[in-house]
mmCIF file of all heavy atoms in Angstrom:
data_model
loop_
_atom_site.group_PDB
_atom_site.id
_atom_site.type_symbol
_atom_site.label_atom_id
_atom_site.label_comp_id
_atom_site.label_asym_id
_atom_site.label_seq_id
_atom_site.Cartn_x
_atom_site.Cartn_y
_atom_site.Cartn_z
ATOM 1 N N GLY U 1 4.170 -3.035 5.467
ATOM 2 C CA GLY U 1 4.792 -1.712 5.389
ATOM 3 C C GLY U 1 4.078 -0.664 6.211
ATOM 4 O O GLY U 1 4.649 0.385 6.534
ATOM 5 N N MET U 2 2.834 -0.934 6.563
ATOM 6 C CA MET U 2 2.062 -0.007 7.403
ATOM 7 C C MET U 2 2.773 0.258 8.732
ATOM 8 O O MET U 2 2.721 1.367 9.272
ATOM 9 C CB MET U 2 0.682 -0.589 7.701
ATOM 10 C CG MET U 2 -0.293 -0.582 6.549
ATOM 11 S SD MET U 2 -1.176 0.981 6.466
ATOM 12 C CE MET U 2 -2.357 0.614 5.166
ATOM 13 N N HIS U 3 3.437 -0.774 9.271
ATOM 14 C CA HIS U 3 4.067 -0.631 10.586
ATOM 15 C C HIS U 3 5.110 0.485 10.603
ATOM 16 O O HIS U 3 5.280 1.168 11.619
ATOM 17 C CB HIS U 3 4.735 -1.950 10.994
ATOM 18 C CG HIS U 3 3.775 -3.051 11.313
ATOM 19 N ND1 HIS U 3 2.946 -3.032 12.413
ATOM 20 C CD2 HIS U 3 3.519 -4.222 10.667
ATOM 21 C CE1 HIS U 3 2.225 -4.136 12.451
ATOM 22 N NE2 HIS U 3 2.551 -4.877 11.399
ATOM 23 N N ALA U 4 5.810 0.642 9.499
ATOM 24 C CA ALA U 4 6.917 1.606 9.461
ATOM 25 C C ALA U 4 6.442 3.047 9.551
ATOM 26 O O ALA U 4 7.209 3.937 9.935
ATOM 27 C CB ALA U 4 7.735 1.404 8.183
ATOM 28 N N ILE U 5 5.172 3.286 9.187
ATOM 29 C CA ILE U 5 4.631 4.652 9.247
ATOM 30 C C ILE U 5 3.385 4.709 10.125
ATOM 31 O O ILE U 5 2.501 5.528 9.927
ATOM 32 C CB ILE U 5 4.349 5.224 7.841
ATOM 33 C CG1 ILE U 5 3.431 4.289 7.037
ATOM 34 C CG2 ILE U 5 5.651 5.466 7.083
ATOM 35 C CD1 ILE U 5 2.937 4.911 5.744
ATOM 36 N N ARG U 6 3.337 3.798 11.076
ATOM 37 C CA ARG U 6 2.236 3.760 12.054
ATOM 38 C C ARG U 6 0.871 3.710 11.366
ATOM 39 O O ARG U 6 -0.083 4.352 11.779
ATOM 40 C CB ARG U 6 2.323 4.943 13.024
ATOM 41 C CG ARG U 6 3.632 4.972 13.810
ATOM 42 C CD ARG U 6 3.685 6.157 14.774
ATOM 43 N NE ARG U 6 4.996 6.279 15.387
ATOM 44 C CZ ARG U 6 5.392 5.630 16.491
ATOM 45 N NH1 ARG U 6 4.544 4.824 17.084
ATOM 46 N NH2 ARG U 6 6.611 5.792 16.967
ATOM 47 N N HIS U 7 0.790 2.951 10.284
ATOM 48 C CA HIS U 7 -0.468 2.680 9.586
ATOM 49 C C HIS U 7 -1.105 3.958 9.021
ATOM 50 O O HIS U 7 -2.325 4.089 9.008
ATOM 51 C CB HIS U 7 -1.461 1.956 10.507
ATOM 52 C CG HIS U 7 -0.819 0.933 11.393
ATOM 53 N ND1 HIS U 7 -0.375 -0.279 10.924
ATOM 54 C CD2 HIS U 7 -0.496 0.954 12.704
ATOM 55 C CE1 HIS U 7 0.171 -0.967 11.917
ATOM 56 N NE2 HIS U 7 0.126 -0.235 13.005
ATOM 57 N N GLN U 8 -0.266 4.856 8.531
ATOM 58 C CA GLN U 8 -0.772 6.176 8.117
ATOM 59 C C GLN U 8 -0.740 6.418 6.603
ATOM 60 O O GLN U 8 -0.720 7.555 6.161
ATOM 61 C CB GLN U 8 0.015 7.278 8.835
ATOM 62 C CG GLN U 8 -0.140 7.269 10.344
ATOM 63 C CD GLN U 8 -1.587 7.390 10.797
ATOM 64 O OE1 GLN U 8 -2.265 8.376 10.460
ATOM 65 N NE2 GLN U 8 -2.068 6.405 11.547
ATOM 66 N N TYR U 9 -0.743 5.379 5.800
ATOM 67 C CA TYR U 9 -0.895 5.583 4.360
ATOM 68 C C TYR U 9 -2.226 6.303 4.087
ATOM 69 O O TYR U 9 -3.258 5.950 4.667
ATOM 70 C CB TYR U 9 -0.948 4.260 3.615
ATOM 71 C CG TYR U 9 0.361 3.566 3.352
ATOM 72 C CD1 TYR U 9 0.582 2.272 3.830
ATOM 73 C CD2 TYR U 9 1.351 4.152 2.571
ATOM 74 C CE1 TYR U 9 1.766 1.597 3.561
ATOM 75 C CE2 TYR U 9 2.534 3.478 2.304
ATOM 76 C CZ TYR U 9 2.738 2.207 2.797
ATOM 77 O OH TYR U 9 3.904 1.544 2.521
ATOM 78 N N SER U 10 -2.191 7.248 3.174
ATOM 79 C CA SER U 10 -3.440 7.864 2.732
ATOM 80 C C SER U 10 -4.094 6.972 1.678
ATOM 81 O O SER U 10 -3.442 6.095 1.090
ATOM 82 C CB SER U 10 -3.176 9.248 2.134
ATOM 83 O OG SER U 10 -2.497 9.131 0.884
ATOM 84 N N LYS U 11 -5.373 7.201 1.417
ATOM 85 C CA LYS U 11 -6.065 6.431 0.384
ATOM 86 C C LYS U 11 -5.422 6.673 -0.981
ATOM 87 O O LYS U 11 -5.285 5.735 -1.785
ATOM 88 C CB LYS U 11 -7.548 6.816 0.354
ATOM 89 C CG LYS U 11 -8.328 6.341 1.561
ATOM 90 C CD LYS U 11 -9.809 6.641 1.447
ATOM 91 C CE LYS U 11 -10.105 8.123 1.624
ATOM 92 N NZ LYS U 11 -11.558 8.404 1.630
ATOM 93 N N LYS U 12 -5.007 7.897 -1.223
ATOM 94 C CA LYS U 12 -4.375 8.226 -2.497
ATOM 95 C C LYS U 12 -3.050 7.486 -2.654
ATOM 96 O O LYS U 12 -2.745 6.942 -3.722
ATOM 97 C CB LYS U 12 -4.137 9.735 -2.587
ATOM 98 C CG LYS U 12 -3.499 10.186 -3.899
ATOM 99 C CD LYS U 12 -3.288 11.697 -3.921
ATOM 100 C CE LYS U 12 -2.609 12.132 -5.224
ATOM 101 N NZ LYS U 12 -2.336 13.591 -5.233
ATOM 102 N N GLN U 13 -2.254 7.448 -1.589
ATOM 103 C CA GLN U 13 -0.973 6.744 -1.638
ATOM 104 C C GLN U 13 -1.173 5.254 -1.906
ATOM 105 O O GLN U 13 -0.463 4.654 -2.722
ATOM 106 C CB GLN U 13 -0.211 6.944 -0.328
ATOM 107 C CG GLN U 13 0.384 8.331 -0.163
ATOM 108 C CD GLN U 13 0.916 8.566 1.244
ATOM 109 O OE1 GLN U 13 0.413 8.009 2.219
ATOM 110 N NE2 GLN U 13 1.939 9.401 1.343
ATOM 111 N N ILE U 14 -2.148 4.653 -1.213
ATOM 112 C CA ILE U 14 -2.420 3.228 -1.406
ATOM 113 C C ILE U 14 -2.785 2.956 -2.863
ATOM 114 O O ILE U 14 -2.262 2.018 -3.492
ATOM 115 C CB ILE U 14 -3.552 2.766 -0.476
ATOM 116 C CG1 ILE U 14 -3.083 2.719 0.986
ATOM 117 C CG2 ILE U 14 -4.101 1.402 -0.918
ATOM 118 C CD1 ILE U 14 -2.217 1.541 1.340
ATOM 119 N N LYS U 15 -3.664 3.765 -3.400
ATOM 120 C CA LYS U 15 -4.122 3.533 -4.779
ATOM 121 C C LYS U 15 -2.986 3.707 -5.772
ATOM 122 O O LYS U 15 -2.790 2.866 -6.664
ATOM 123 C CB LYS U 15 -5.269 4.477 -5.107
ATOM 124 C CG LYS U 15 -5.956 4.170 -6.435
ATOM 125 C CD LYS U 15 -7.231 4.982 -6.576
ATOM 126 C CE LYS U 15 -8.010 4.557 -7.814
ATOM 127 N NZ LYS U 15 -9.286 5.311 -7.943
ATOM 128 N N GLU U 16 -2.223 4.790 -5.628
ATOM 129 C CA GLU U 16 -1.136 5.053 -6.566
ATOM 130 C C GLU U 16 -0.062 3.968 -6.486
ATOM 131 O O GLU U 16 0.456 3.521 -7.517
ATOM 132 C CB GLU U 16 -0.530 6.427 -6.289
ATOM 133 C CG GLU U 16 -1.441 7.579 -6.688
ATOM 134 C CD GLU U 16 -0.828 8.948 -6.377
ATOM 135 O OE1 GLU U 16 0.217 8.989 -5.683
ATOM 136 O OE2 GLU U 16 -1.406 9.961 -6.828
ATOM 137 N N LEU U 17 0.269 3.535 -5.278
ATOM 138 C CA LEU U 17 1.294 2.513 -5.124
ATOM 139 C C LEU U 17 0.809 1.158 -5.627
ATOM 140 O O LEU U 17 1.571 0.396 -6.239
ATOM 141 C CB LEU U 17 1.724 2.413 -3.662
ATOM 142 C CG LEU U 17 2.600 3.567 -3.160
ATOM 143 C CD1 LEU U 17 2.692 3.563 -1.639
ATOM 144 C CD2 LEU U 17 3.992 3.493 -3.784
ATOM 145 N N ALA U 18 -0.464 0.841 -5.394
ATOM 146 C CA ALA U 18 -1.011 -0.424 -5.884
ATOM 147 C C ALA U 18 -0.972 -0.468 -7.412
ATOM 148 O O ALA U 18 -0.591 -1.493 -8.002
ATOM 149 C CB ALA U 18 -2.437 -0.618 -5.379
ATOM 150 N N ILE U 19 -1.346 0.629 -8.048
ATOM 151 C CA ILE U 19 -1.317 0.688 -9.510
ATOM 152 C C ILE U 19 0.116 0.538 -10.016
ATOM 153 O O ILE U 19 0.389 -0.195 -10.978
ATOM 154 C CB ILE U 19 -1.949 2.005 -10.011
ATOM 155 C CG1 ILE U 19 -3.464 1.994 -9.750
ATOM 156 C CG2 ILE U 19 -1.663 2.219 -11.497
ATOM 157 C CD1 ILE U 19 -4.139 3.332 -9.990
ATOM 158 N N ALA U 20 1.057 1.211 -9.364
ATOM 159 C CA ALA U 20 2.465 1.140 -9.777
ATOM 160 C C ALA U 20 3.033 -0.263 -9.581
ATOM 161 O O ALA U 20 3.781 -0.779 -10.429
ATOM 162 C CB ALA U 20 3.288 2.157 -8.998
ATOM 163 N N LEU U 21 2.688 -0.905 -8.461
ATOM 164 C CA LEU U 21 3.147 -2.274 -8.225
ATOM 165 C C LEU U 21 2.562 -3.236 -9.251
ATOM 166 O O LEU U 21 3.245 -4.156 -9.725
ATOM 167 C CB LEU U 21 2.764 -2.714 -6.810
ATOM 168 C CG LEU U 21 3.634 -2.153 -5.684
ATOM 169 C CD1 LEU U 21 2.927 -2.270 -4.344
ATOM 170 C CD2 LEU U 21 4.985 -2.876 -5.639
ATOM 171 N N ASP U 22 1.302 -3.019 -9.602
ATOM 172 C CA ASP U 22 0.669 -3.847 -10.621
ATOM 173 C C ASP U 22 1.394 -3.714 -11.961
ATOM 174 O O ASP U 22 1.642 -4.705 -12.652
ATOM 175 C CB ASP U 22 -0.795 -3.446 -10.757
ATOM 176 C CG ASP U 22 -1.556 -4.323 -11.733
ATOM 177 O OD1 ASP U 22 -1.657 -5.540 -11.481
ATOM 178 O OD2 ASP U 22 -2.047 -3.800 -12.765
ATOM 179 N N LYS U 23 1.750 -2.493 -12.313
ATOM 180 C CA LYS U 23 2.490 -2.264 -13.562
ATOM 181 C C LYS U 23 3.880 -2.887 -13.502
ATOM 182 O O LYS U 23 4.450 -3.245 -14.536
ATOM 183 C CB LYS U 23 2.592 -0.768 -13.836
ATOM 184 C CG LYS U 23 1.270 -0.126 -14.252
ATOM 185 C CD LYS U 23 1.422 1.368 -14.487
ATOM 186 C CE LYS U 23 0.096 1.987 -14.933
ATOM 187 N NZ LYS U 23 0.219 3.469 -15.095
ATOM 188 N N SER U 24 4.412 -3.017 -12.286
ATOM 189 C CA SER U 24 5.725 -3.647 -12.115
ATOM 190 C C SER U 24 5.633 -5.167 -12.120
ATOM 191 O O SER U 24 6.648 -5.852 -11.999
ATOM 192 C CB SER U 24 6.358 -3.186 -10.799
ATOM 193 O OG SER U 24 6.502 -1.784 -10.776
ATOM 194 N N LYS U 25 4.417 -5.678 -12.231
ATOM 195 C CA LYS U 25 4.148 -7.105 -12.405
ATOM 196 C C LYS U 25 4.506 -7.980 -11.194
ATOM 197 O O LYS U 25 4.969 -9.114 -11.360
ATOM 198 C CB LYS U 25 4.857 -7.635 -13.647
ATOM 199 C CG LYS U 25 4.311 -7.061 -14.968
ATOM 200 C CD LYS U 25 2.893 -7.531 -15.237
ATOM 201 C CE LYS U 25 2.471 -7.281 -16.690
ATOM 202 N NZ LYS U 25 2.410 -5.862 -17.065
ATOM 203 N N VAL U 26 4.279 -7.441 -9.976
ATOM 204 C CA VAL U 26 4.281 -8.376 -8.853
ATOM 205 C C VAL U 26 3.012 -9.212 -8.982
ATOM 206 O O VAL U 26 2.041 -8.804 -9.621
ATOM 207 C CB VAL U 26 4.335 -7.656 -7.495
ATOM 208 C CG1 VAL U 26 5.619 -6.858 -7.349
ATOM 209 C CG2 VAL U 26 3.114 -6.758 -7.278
ATOM 210 N N ASP U 27 3.000 -10.390 -8.380
ATOM 211 C CA ASP U 27 1.875 -11.308 -8.585
ATOM 212 C C ASP U 27 0.722 -11.086 -7.622
ATOM 213 O O ASP U 27 -0.415 -11.458 -7.924
ATOM 214 C CB ASP U 27 2.374 -12.743 -8.488
ATOM 215 C CG ASP U 27 3.409 -13.052 -9.554
ATOM 216 O OD1 ASP U 27 3.089 -12.917 -10.746
ATOM 217 O OD2 ASP U 27 4.558 -13.380 -9.188
ATOM 218 N N ALA U 28 1.001 -10.512 -6.473
ATOM 219 C CA ALA U 28 -0.048 -10.247 -5.493
ATOM 220 C C ALA U 28 0.311 -9.001 -4.699
ATOM 221 O O ALA U 28 1.492 -8.739 -4.441
ATOM 222 C CB ALA U 28 -0.229 -11.437 -4.551
ATOM 223 N N ILE U 29 -0.709 -8.243 -4.321
ATOM 224 C CA ILE U 29 -0.522 -7.020 -3.544
ATOM 225 C C ILE U 29 -1.416 -7.124 -2.314
ATOM 226 O O ILE U 29 -2.637 -7.226 -2.424
ATOM 227 C CB ILE U 29 -0.899 -5.772 -4.368
ATOM 228 C CG1 ILE U 29 -0.006 -5.666 -5.607
ATOM 229 C CG2 ILE U 29 -0.796 -4.509 -3.507
ATOM 230 C CD1 ILE U 29 -0.470 -4.605 -6.604
ATOM 231 N N GLU U 30 -0.789 -7.123 -1.145
ATOM 232 C CA GLU U 30 -1.528 -7.279 0.116
ATOM 233 C C GLU U 30 -1.818 -5.912 0.721
ATOM 234 O O GLU U 30 -0.906 -5.099 0.903
ATOM 235 C CB GLU U 30 -0.700 -8.127 1.085
ATOM 236 C CG GLU U 30 -1.445 -8.524 2.341
ATOM 237 C CD GLU U 30 -0.655 -9.536 3.145
ATOM 238 O OE1 GLU U 30 0.400 -9.178 3.698
ATOM 239 O OE2 GLU U 30 -1.089 -10.701 3.209
ATOM 240 N N ILE U 31 -3.092 -5.679 1.042
ATOM 241 C CA ILE U 31 -3.502 -4.389 1.610
ATOM 242 C C ILE U 31 -4.363 -4.621 2.846
ATOM 243 O O ILE U 31 -5.351 -5.348 2.807
ATOM 244 C CB ILE U 31 -4.291 -3.549 0.579
ATOM 245 C CG1 ILE U 31 -3.426 -3.246 -0.651
ATOM 246 C CG2 ILE U 31 -4.791 -2.253 1.222
ATOM 247 C CD1 ILE U 31 -4.167 -2.483 -1.747
ATOM 248 N N SER U 32 -3.969 -4.001 3.933
ATOM 249 C CA SER U 32 -4.776 -3.940 5.160
ATOM 250 C C SER U 32 -3.965 -3.174 6.187
ATOM 251 O O SER U 32 -2.807 -2.823 5.951
ATOM 252 C CB SER U 32 -5.114 -5.344 5.704
ATOM 253 O OG SER U 32 -4.005 -5.919 6.358
ATOM 254 N N HIS U 33 -4.562 -2.935 7.341
ATOM 255 C CA HIS U 33 -3.811 -2.479 8.505
ATOM 256 C C HIS U 33 -2.650 -3.446 8.713
ATOM 257 O O HIS U 33 -2.731 -4.629 8.370
ATOM 258 C CB HIS U 33 -4.731 -2.472 9.727
ATOM 259 C CG HIS U 33 -4.118 -1.943 10.988
ATOM 260 N ND1 HIS U 33 -3.288 -2.711 11.780
ATOM 261 C CD2 HIS U 33 -4.216 -0.731 11.607
ATOM 262 C CE1 HIS U 33 -2.912 -1.998 12.828
ATOM 263 N NE2 HIS U 33 -3.453 -0.794 12.750
ATOM 264 N N GLY U 34 -1.557 -2.975 9.283
ATOM 265 C CA GLY U 34 -0.399 -3.836 9.486
ATOM 266 C C GLY U 34 -0.696 -5.107 10.251
ATOM 267 O O GLY U 34 -0.058 -6.146 10.040
ATOM 268 N N ASP U 35 -1.686 -5.054 11.140
ATOM 269 C CA ASP U 35 -2.066 -6.226 11.920
ATOM 270 C C ASP U 35 -3.289 -6.924 11.337
ATOM 271 O O ASP U 35 -3.990 -7.655 12.035
ATOM 272 C CB ASP U 35 -2.314 -5.820 13.374
ATOM 273 C CG ASP U 35 -1.029 -5.362 14.048
ATOM 274 O OD1 ASP U 35 -0.206 -6.222 14.390
ATOM 275 O OD2 ASP U 35 -0.832 -4.142 14.196
#
């Protein structure tokens, strides 16, 4: 998803979205630069 916004997620956005995805019970959350 980084590619769609030119890798410009803020640290706050990453943390909040990771927590929300975890609560939504996906099994794995991948985080890094798009490449």
Side-chain angles (χ1 to χ4, degrees):
M2 287 273 186
H3 290 292
I5 55 170
R6 301 180 187 274
H7 321 286
Q8 297 303 301
Y9 280 122
S10 70
K11 290 185 287 185
K12 181 180 178 183
Q13 286 170 330
I14 289 284
K15 189 170 187 178
E16 289 179 350
L17 286 166
I19 291 170
L21 283 162
D22 184 62
K23 289 179 179 177
S24 301
K25 293 293 195 296
V26 297
D27 299 301
I29 299 170
E30 188 171 69
I31 299 177
S32 77
H33 184 280
D35 293 284

